[in-house]
Amino acid sequence: MSSLAEPPASRALSRSPALSPARSPALSPALGPSRCGGERRQGAPDGGASQETRSADLNHAIRLLGDSDSSNLEEKQLKVLKKVVKRFENGLPLKDLAQIIDILNLCAEKVNEQEAFIEPVCELIKLCGLPFQKKKLSDEVSYSVTVSKSIAQLGYLMRVPSSQVRIQICKCIISFYKAELPRKLLSGYQPTSANYKTEMAELGGLAETFVLSLAIVENELTEKLWVLKVLQHLSSSGVNCRHMLKAQAASRLCLYLNDVDPSGQLVFRSSEILWNLLENTSKEEVVNQLSSLECVHALKEVFVDLLLHGFRHYDRQLRNDLLVIATLVAENPAAPMIESGFATLLIVLATYTEVKIPNPLLKGLKLTFCYEDFEMKKLLFNIIGILSKDPRAVQLLSENDVMPALLYYVKPHQKPGFHDWSASQYEELQLHAIAILASVAPFLVDKYLSCQANTLLLVFLEWCMGQDPFFGQGNSFHGTGGRGNKLAQMRYSLRVLRSVVSLYDDAVNLNLCDQGAISQLLDILKYAANKSKERDDAILLEIQADTLFILSALCENDAHRKELFSYEGVDILIPFIQMDPKKLYSGLGHNRLLFNALDCLWSCVVGCYIGEDYFLEQQGIFILLDLLALKQKNLCNIILGLLVEFCDNPRTTFHISTWRGEKDQTAANLLIQLWRQEELDLGVKRDRYGRIADVKRPIVGSFQKQQEVIPMPANSPTFAIVEISENIRAKLYLLLCKLGFEDLPGLSAKDFVTLAIIRRYVDFKVGEVWSEVCTEIKEEFRPVASDEEALKVISEVSENVGRSVAAIQTEVLESQHRQEIREEEKTYTKIQAVHKQKEMVNKSWENFLTRTSNYEALKKAKRLQEKSIEASRSKLKTQNGAVHSTDIKGLSTTIGSGRLVTVESTPSQLIGGPLSGTDLALGKPSVCEGALKKIKRVKTLDSIKKDLGPVE
């Protein structure tokens, strides 16, 4: 190893800890042992290269460059820098990166005075673009802090006043994203992972530094484009985008959009970066940075320039990208779209092809029917919808004929010409325009009426139901569900009508009704209902729901319109109310359809005696009660309200009383169950039997108890009053009042306990109000003795009502208890009788067994039988009557005889009696023979029974 001596300076510095042979094996002699313990051959290619690179020492270079008297050392410094570059031409080891950056910083300070250092600086920066070298797998993590700070220093080097250096820095950073392996790797090292540099750039905040460097290069177009190219690569990362936003990247980029750039790269790269910022960070924050007057004006100018002078496909795409960004800015109410004139320009451009009114803002504009112009048209329609939400823009929309331009599409599409939109494009524009019309029309009612929009929409809806051949493409978002049909057109036209009738403007609604809208809307309902039988989808459900809403708005508070609705409308409504409850959870919109149907029933039928009577005839009350019996929280309130309204019709009460639900449930029982469930939800305190537990506040819920009484003006309702409209108890009370609290069928004792509370609901509410009054008075004033006594009496009266109801409830429960005891006694008596009967049967069986096994018992039973027979005979003897014996001779059974009668012949002394002269006397011999045969047959049966033994 001593045969090849090192230069003195190099040998002296080799003892430095940073570059000692132990830590930097690359500095070992060419013939020294390798890392693997083997010998290197002198003259090997890598051995020669290694010997050449070891001639330079980083610490020596740092001291040499940092020498204060460096003016005379320029040649040596440049020579050392060349050696450093040569040494690391295949990549920088991670452990040496910090010293290389120190050398770069020292050189950067000299560039201001010595241009000769520009080239070495650029060469060193090129080295930073190569993949870093690591010796161990853990080096990436171990040196992460050092590497991230070193890469961040590259951004700070943009301060160097050299275009060549700045461009080289940009190329170096771009190489992070296009890394290529060097042709030769350092011995014992391997390159870092592909994403290592980009991750370290994120960690060091390089993106923020480069955004700030835009201010340095703002007057140098070439350097600015390179910086934008770097930012374009950096903005692909969400972390970098967040760093860029901290430096106000969005507003800085927007302000440079109008700078002179013949190549067009400035606008392109800036728009790309803005898009990446919008996608990778908070859209709101980006929009806020773009919402200054300067930024909006810059967007407007570059958009106009591309619109009027951009004829290439690329220019149109870039124009549309900027229009999308402008759309996002317009969504911010604070953006000065109107003040900058951008809003006016966009509105005029949106109506350019429909109203054909010359405008100086668009002089020289020529639009084609290419795809990019089609996309721009849709974006312009969209921005009209956004601007309509700004009250300041309404006047602009009215002045620039937006309403006629949108109504231009409310008509069937004619066959397209050669220079025109295709059928699918026109359909998409048509649906988009009608959708925007629904947003704009409520703000431009006067224009809406003056353009006869109602007439156009009704005619268009008639075409939608017609049989004219039309094959919708259904390609766009607005065309969903409209392929091969006109449902998409019908859907959006009804949305327009829904938006205008929801204003409840008399002029609009009158204009609709005068043109027969009610009859036509009922036809639409039938048309959609028939379609729903074929397929039940969200589009058809929305059409039906919107139609029902429009009818509700038109007929509400107008008796004549309700009469027009009556018969046909009721027949259409009933199937909607009879909807299968399982469909309410399908997610398609059946629940909305049901609610709109109930609202339509309330608005179009209630209050019209013709409609009410017909609804009752169609068993409508039964349908409502069936729906109420589902006990769905969101339906109960509106159904109870409907029933209360219908109770003004004297026939309704009978229908409610007649209704029977499952298990023969009555309406009264259902209403009381709903009351109990409502009190349970409100947290009203009751004991386990359902009786009043707090006589002072018997119907107050847990939430109401927590509310403090706050003194309020006399015209402001207190919590006790507001609470009435927030639950269904008041409606239940009104219905039970209509039914009457007496003789209600189908109620249990528990129901009567609850009914006692419902009956005094108003009294309890009065007590709550007086309690609030007392509390408010005592908080503000000290009542005089007489007033205090009056308040005390009122409070006692309220408490007494609670106590009396509690007493009634107790009496009901005790009566029920006594009734249950009586029922129990009756049941017990029945059980006793059954047991007694079983005992008698058992005893009879035991007696029978005794007779069959004990002859003495049998004789005793026989004697008792004879006595019983004798006792049963009449004491009066019949004169001249024959006496027949009841005994059967020779009978050996132990049970009574069956249904057997033996007729004996009449004694001879009686022949010639009253029957002797009749025809019956002629049959005497045959009768005697028959009797003898009968007797013989009986004896034969007796002998058989004797052989078989005793029978029960």
Side-chain angles (χ1 to χ4, degrees):
M1 293 179 64
S2 59
S3 61
L4 294 177
E6 294 178 349
S10 178
R11 189 162 48 248
L13 290 176
S14 67
R15 294 191 296 271
S16 172
L19 296 173
S20 62
R23 298 184 60 190
S24 183
L27 296 179
S28 60
L31 297 178
S34 69
R35 290 188 183 88
C36 299
E39 294 291 333
R40 293 184 185 271
R41 289 185 302 170
Q42 187 175 4
D46 56 343
S50 176
Q51 184 177 5
E52 187 177 356
T53 56
R54 293 189 189 91
S55 64
D57 181 65
L58 294 178
N59 285 334
H60 173 66
I62 291 172
R63 283 200 298 269
L64 187 62
L65 290 169
D67 193 342
S68 59
D69 298 329
S70 61
S71 58
N72 299 324
L73 300 174
E74 179 178 346
E75 186 176 351
K76 291 183 179 180
Q77 292 169 345
L78 293 174
K79 186 176 181 180
V80 168
L81 289 174
K82 288 182 180 180
K83 290 182 179 180
V84 170
V85 172
K86 181 64 177 176
R87 175 183 175 185
F88 297 106
E89 63 181 351
N90 292 322
L92 296 173
L94 292 177
K95 66 184 183 62
D96 297 329
L97 183 59
Q99 291 174 302
I100 295 295
I101 296 300
D102 289 341
I103 293 173
L104 267 174
N105 285 329
L106 291 171
C107 293
E109 295 175 0
K110 297 180 180 296
V111 168
N112 292 331
E113 300 175 357
Q114 298 169 285
E115 294 183 359
F117 283 90
I118 292 177
E119 185 178 351
V121 168
C122 291
E123 292 297 326
L124 288 173
I125 293 171
K126 282 183 181 179
L127 296 180
C128 294
L130 297 174
F132 295 146
Q133 306 293 316
K134 63 182 179 181
K135 181 177 280 188
K136 296 182 291 185
L137 291 176
S138 61
D139 283 354
E140 290 188 5
V141 178
S142 302
Y143 290 98
S144 60
V145 176
T146 302
V147 175
S148 63
K149 291 181 179 179
S150 300
I151 291 178
Q153 286 295 322
L154 291 176
Y156 295 124
L157 288 177
M158 291 295 291
R159 70 184 185 278
V160 176
S162 169
S163 176
Q164 188 177 350
V165 171
R166 292 170 180 170
I167 292 173
Q168 188 59 53
I169 293 172
C170 293
K171 290 180 178 179
C172 174
I173 303 238
I174 291 171
S175 70
F176 291 179
Y177 297 86
K178 301 177 181 179
E180 296 181 3
L181 292 176
R183 289 173 295 179
K184 188 176 181 182
L185 298 177
L186 295 177
S187 178
Y189 287 84
Q190 57 182 338
T192 56
S193 57
N195 297 328
Y196 183 67
K197 284 187 177 181
T198 59
E199 292 172 358
M200 294 301 102
E202 295 173 0
L203 185 62
L206 180 66
E208 184 177 359
T209 307
F210 258 80
V211 172
L212 296 173
S213 68
L214 281 172
I216 300 174
V217 299
E218 61 181 350
N219 296 322
E220 300 293 335
L221 178 61
T222 304
E223 298 170 22
K224 188 192 302 182
L225 292 177
W226 274 105
V227 172
L228 290 175
K229 190 174 182 180
V230 171
L231 289 174
Q232 187 177 351
H233 283 83
L234 292 173
S235 62
S236 61
S237 161
V239 176
N240 286 334
C241 286
R242 288 189 286 274
H243 288 309
M244 292 167 67
L245 279 186
K246 290 180 182 178
Q248 300 294 310
S251 59
R252 288 174 183 270
L253 291 169
C254 193
L255 292 175
Y256 296 136
L257 286 176
N258 287 319
D259 290 356
V260 178
D261 176 25
S263 68
Q265 292 187 48
L266 180 64
V267 177
F268 168 72
R269 298 195 185 281
S270 298
S271 65
E272 284 291 320
I273 298 168
L274 289 175
W275 266 107
N276 289 338
L277 291 174
L278 288 167
E279 291 177 353
N280 296 325
T281 60
S282 169
K283 185 179 73 173
E284 290 74 15
E285 188 173 351
V286 177
V287 169
N288 287 335
Q289 291 187 18
L290 295 175
S291 295
S292 64
L293 183 61
E294 294 81 5
C295 289
V296 174
H297 185 75
L299 279 173
K300 172 191 171 186
E301 293 299 321
V302 70
F303 174 76
V304 171
D305 182 65
L306 289 170
L307 179 68
L308 298 178
H309 306 109
F311 302 105
R312 297 175 297 176
H313 176 75
Y314 158 81
D315 293 332
R316 294 191 182 100
Q317 286 184 329
L318 187 57
R319 173 200 66 192
N320 290 350
D321 289 345
L322 292 175
L323 185 55
V324 173
I325 295 173
T327 302
L328 296 175
V329 174
E331 291 178 352
N332 183 12
M337 295 292 290
I338 298 175
E339 293 82 351
S340 64
F342 203 2
T344 304
L345 172 67
L346 294 173
I347 293 171
V348 170
L349 185 59
T351 60
Y352 175 72
T353 57
E354 288 79 16
V355 292
K356 304 294 183 183
I357 299 176
N359 193 300
L361 292 174
L362 302 177
K363 187 177 180 180
L365 174 64
K366 293 182 179 179
L367 292 179
T368 64
F369 295 97
C370 64
Y371 181 76
E372 286 72 27
D373 287 350
F374 171 67
E375 289 293 322
M376 183 183 72
K377 190 70 176 178
K378 292 193 296 181
L379 290 170
L380 291 170
F381 280 167
N382 188 52
I383 212 165
I384 287 177
I386 294 171
L387 292 174
S388 67
K389 300 174 184 177
D390 188 350
R392 301 172 301 165
V394 172
Q395 186 64 28
L396 291 177
L397 297 174
S398 178
E399 293 173 353
N400 290 284
D401 297 316
V402 168
M403 185 61 65
L406 295 176
L407 289 173
Y408 170 83
Y409 292 94
V410 185
K411 62 182 180 181
H413 180 39
Q414 305 298 327
K415 186 175 181 180
F418 181 73
H419 297 291
D420 200 352
W421 303 117
S422 66
S424 60
Q425 287 178 329
Y426 180 85
E427 181 187 11
E428 191 169 344
L429 288 177
Q430 180 186 59
L431 294 172
H432 199 167
I434 299 174
I436 297 302
L437 182 61
S439 301
V440 174
F443 302 101
L444 302 174
V445 177
D446 293 338
K447 278 279 186 181
Y448 178 86
L449 291 173
S450 64
C451 293
Q452 299 181 349
N454 282 335
T455 305
L456 292 173
L457 286 167
L458 292 176
V459 172
F460 191 61
L461 283 170
E462 188 175 354
W463 171 79
C464 291
M465 290 190 297
Q467 300 299 323
D468 297 341
F470 175 80
F471 300 97
Q473 301 299 318
N475 295 325
S476 65
F477 166 78
H478 296 98
T480 303
R483 188 165 187 81
N485 56 60
K486 309 171 190 176
L487 292 180
Q489 285 78 3
M490 180 182 290
R491 175 191 187 189
Y492 283 99
S493 299
L494 288 170
R495 279 191 185 182
V496 179
L497 291 178
R498 185 190 67 188
S499 66
V500 293
V501 300
S502 62
L503 299 173
Y504 292 93
D505 185 279
D506 293 338
V508 174
N509 292 356
L510 180 62
N511 182 264
L512 271 172
C513 294
D514 287 347
Q515 298 183 62
I518 293 177
S519 176
Q520 186 171 345
L521 290 170
L522 290 175
D523 291 339
I524 292 174
L525 271 180
K526 289 188 289 186
Y527 174 82
N530 291 331
K531 288 284 186 181
S532 295
K533 295 176 182 178
E534 302 172 5
R535 56 166 190 167
D536 202 5
D537 61 6
I539 306 300
L540 286 168
L541 291 174
E542 181 183 338
I543 288 173
Q544 295 172 85
D546 287 346
T547 307
L548 290 170
F549 177 83
I550 296 167
L551 286 168
S552 300
L554 292 177
C555 296
E556 190 174 2
N557 302 323
D558 192 294
H560 174 65
R561 296 174 190 172
K562 291 182 180 183
E563 290 178 359
L564 294 176
F565 179 89
S566 58
Y567 291 109
E568 187 178 5
V570 168
D571 288 333
I572 295 174
L573 273 181
I574 286 179
F576 293 134
I577 303 173
Q578 286 180 314
M579 184 187 302
D580 184 359
K582 295 179 182 178
K583 291 184 177 180
L584 297 177
Y585 306 101
S586 65
L588 293 176
H590 290 89
N591 50 352
R592 179 189 169 202
L593 179 60
L594 177 59
F595 277 111
N596 281 11
L598 293 173
D599 180 57
C600 186
L601 177 63
W602 202 323
S603 301
C604 302
V605 177
V606 173
C608 174
Y609 290 114
I610 298 175
E612 286 182 1
D613 290 343
Y614 188 66
F615 184 74
L616 293 174
E617 290 174 8
Q618 300 301 314
Q619 299 184 349
I621 295 298
F622 294 167
I623 297 171
L624 289 178
L625 288 171
D626 289 338
L627 199 57
L628 183 64
L630 298 176
K631 298 180 183 177
Q632 294 191 8
K633 190 73 175 178
N634 54 349
L635 289 175
C636 287
N637 196 19
I638 187 170
I639 295 173
L640 290 171
L642 277 167
L643 291 173
V644 170
E645 293 289 342
F646 268 108
C647 280
D648 290 339
N649 190 315
R651 299 172 56 191
T652 303
T653 307
F654 174 75
H655 283 254
I656 296 176
S657 302
T658 306
W659 176 82
R660 292 295 181 270
E662 291 185 2
K663 298 180 181 179
D664 206 31
Q665 184 184 31
T666 63
N669 176 257
L670 173 61
L671 297 176
I672 293 171
Q673 285 184 7
L674 290 173
W675 179 282
R676 279 199 295 267
Q677 183 61 45
E678 187 70 12
E679 287 196 333
L680 184 63
D681 295 339
L682 293 173
V684 180
K685 195 174 181 181
R686 296 279 182 263
D687 67 6
R688 61 175 182 166
Y689 300 109
R691 293 179 296 187
I692 292 174
D694 184 0
V695 294
K696 293 183 178 180
R697 309 179 77 183
I699 60 172
V700 176
S702 57
F703 180 73
Q704 188 176 350
K705 288 180 180 179
Q706 296 171 4
Q707 304 305 309
E708 296 181 359
V709 178
I710 302 172
M712 301 179 69
N715 59 350
S716 298
T718 62
F719 196 86
I721 301 301
V722 173
E723 187 266 347
I724 294 175
S725 61
E726 293 180 347
N727 57 70
I728 62 175
R729 290 189 296 182
K731 296 182 177 69
L732 292 170
Y733 169 76
L734 290 172
L735 282 173
L736 287 168
C737 284
K738 294 290 185 180
L739 294 175
F741 292 97
E742 302 294 340
D743 301 327
L744 292 175
L747 300 186
S748 63
K750 186 178 181 181
D751 294 335
F752 281 111
V753 169
T754 306
L755 189 64
I757 300 173
I758 301 174
R759 191 168 191 171
R760 304 305 293 269
Y761 174 73
V762 173
D763 296 330
F764 292 145
K765 268 298 166 187
V766 171
E768 284 182 31
V769 174
W770 273 112
S771 176
E772 290 180 340
V773 171
C774 294
T775 305
E776 288 186 18
I777 290 175
K778 290 178 181 179
E779 286 185 0
E780 298 287 331
F781 312 100
R782 177 181 294 177
V784 297
S786 59
D787 289 342
E788 189 169 1
E789 181 65 24
L791 293 174
K792 183 179 180 181
V793 170
I794 292 171
S795 299
E796 289 177 353
V797 169
S798 179
E799 291 181 23
N800 290 336
V801 172
R803 290 192 184 93
S804 65
V805 172
I808 293 171
Q809 291 176 317
T810 303
E811 183 181 351
V812 170
L813 291 173
E814 289 176 352
S815 175
Q816 174 66 14
H817 182 63
R818 290 193 296 269
Q819 179 66 24
E820 289 175 354
I821 291 175
R822 287 194 295 269
E823 293 293 334
E824 185 177 349
E825 289 175 350
K826 289 181 180 179
T827 304
Y828 184 70
T829 303
K830 290 180 180 179
I831 294 172
Q832 278 185 324
V834 171
H835 280 285
K836 188 174 181 180
Q837 182 68 23
K838 287 182 178 180
E839 289 175 1
M840 293 174 66
V841 170
N842 291 336
K843 189 175 181 180
S844 175
W845 175 249
E846 290 173 0
N847 292 335
F848 171 75
L849 292 178
T850 303
R851 293 196 307 271
T852 58
S853 59
N854 190 335
Y855 184 67
E856 295 297 329
L858 180 61
K859 290 195 297 183
K860 183 179 178 181
K862 181 64 175 178
R863 288 193 296 269
L864 291 174
Q865 185 182 28
E866 290 174 349
K867 287 182 181 181
S868 176
I869 293 172
E870 187 63 31
S872 66
R873 284 176 177 167
S874 176
K875 302 301 180 181
L876 299 176
K877 293 184 177 181
T878 306
Q879 293 181 358
N880 301 325
V883 177
H884 301 282
S885 173
T886 58
D887 293 336
I888 300 175
K889 301 297 182 178
L891 184 65
S892 59
T893 60
T894 58
I895 59 173
S897 60
R899 296 178 179 179
L900 179 64
V901 177
T902 301
V903 179
E904 294 182 354
S905 62
T906 304
S908 57
Q909 65 270 21
L910 294 179
I911 296 175
L915 296 177
S916 59
T918 64
D919 294 337
L920 293 175
L922 300 175
K924 177 173 56 176
S926 61
V927 170
C928 293
E929 292 175 1
L932 291 173
K933 290 179 181 179
K934 190 71 173 180
I935 293 170
K936 290 179 180 179
R937 189 180 299 118
V938 170
K939 287 182 178 181
T940 305
L941 289 174
D942 288 341
S943 62
I944 293 172
K945 289 179 180 179
K946 185 177 181 180
D947 295 337
L948 293 175
V951 181
E952 180 181 343

